[in-house]
Amino acid sequence: MKPFTTYGLKCSKKDEKIIVQRVNEYLKTLDRTMSKAKSKSMLDARLPFILKHFYWNLNKGVGTWFELFVNEDIEGKYYNESNKECGWIIKVRIDLTHPCYEKQKTETFLLEVLKSTKFEFIIIEENDEDLE
């Protein structure tokens, strides 16, 4: 798994509630949850992609950050135009220098998050460094 990976969930954008519920059910087993970002500053950081909100989780225990957001924004623009079959995107950042990072433990956590959605997922992009 590369430190910066973007996954697409093959589902409808209408599947938000069920995805959030399923991921939070998994995270609950670790005494964690996703937060819902609605603040202007957090949303503005994603421009030109215009979102009403997105979900995120910071897990210092394994050195990860991930965001869950809809592939099609409120203006009809796609974050990932070539994978319109993916209604939702999960963007992952692994901090390889974090003191709690352990390759196996960290990758297992992220795979369990992806599997918890119960939707097929694909790798859209993966890099060793953040290109944004």
Side-chain angles (χ1 to χ4, degrees):
M1 210 176 263
K2 300 262 187 180
F4 299 91
T5 306
T6 303
Y7 298 91
L9 299 177
K10 292 188 174 184
C11 62
S12 162
K13 69 180 182 179
K14 294 177 182 175
D15 289 320
E16 174 179 2
K17 188 176 179 179
I18 192 74
I19 294 168
V20 170
Q21 178 184 352
R22 289 172 178 170
V23 172
N24 275 331
E25 283 173 5
Y26 166 67
L27 292 174
K28 186 177 179 182
T29 67
L30 307 170
D31 292 324
R32 300 192 169 281
T33 187
M34 286 190 297
S35 297
K36 188 174 186 176
K38 296 193 278 189
S39 73
K40 182 173 173 22
S41 62
M42 288 187 85
L43 296 174
D44 284 353
R46 276 108 193 116
L47 290 173
F49 200 62
I50 302 171
L51 300 172
K52 290 182 189 174
H53 60 271
F54 67 93
Y55 302 89
W56 61 273
N57 174 270
L58 172 66
N59 186 342
K60 292 180 182 177
V62 291
T64 63
W65 162 275
F66 73 83
E67 296 178 13
L68 169 69
F69 56 92
V70 69
N71 191 14
E72 183 182 6
D73 78 357
I74 23 185
E75 294 184 336
K77 292 187 309 261
Y78 282 86
Y79 177 82
N80 187 265
E81 185 77 32
S82 57
N83 293 101
K84 290 181 180 179
E85 76 280 12
C86 297
W88 286 82
I89 304 290
I90 295 180
K91 209 170 172 182
V92 171
R93 179 183 184 273
I94 301 172
D95 183 352
L96 301 177
T97 64
H98 194 281
C100 293
Y101 167 75
E102 294 176 33
K103 183 176 174 46
Q104 187 61 47
K105 186 177 172 184
T106 298
E107 290 184 4
T108 297
F109 166 73
L110 292 170
L111 285 173
E112 290 300 320
V113 167
L114 290 163
K115 288 190 328 191
S116 75
T117 69
K118 298 184 179 144
F119 287 104
E120 182 182 348
F121 60 89
I122 60 169
I123 295 174
I124 291 174
E125 183 177 24
E126 55 184 351
N127 295 294
D128 288 318
E129 56 190 57
D130 193 0
L131 301 176
E132 292 185 359

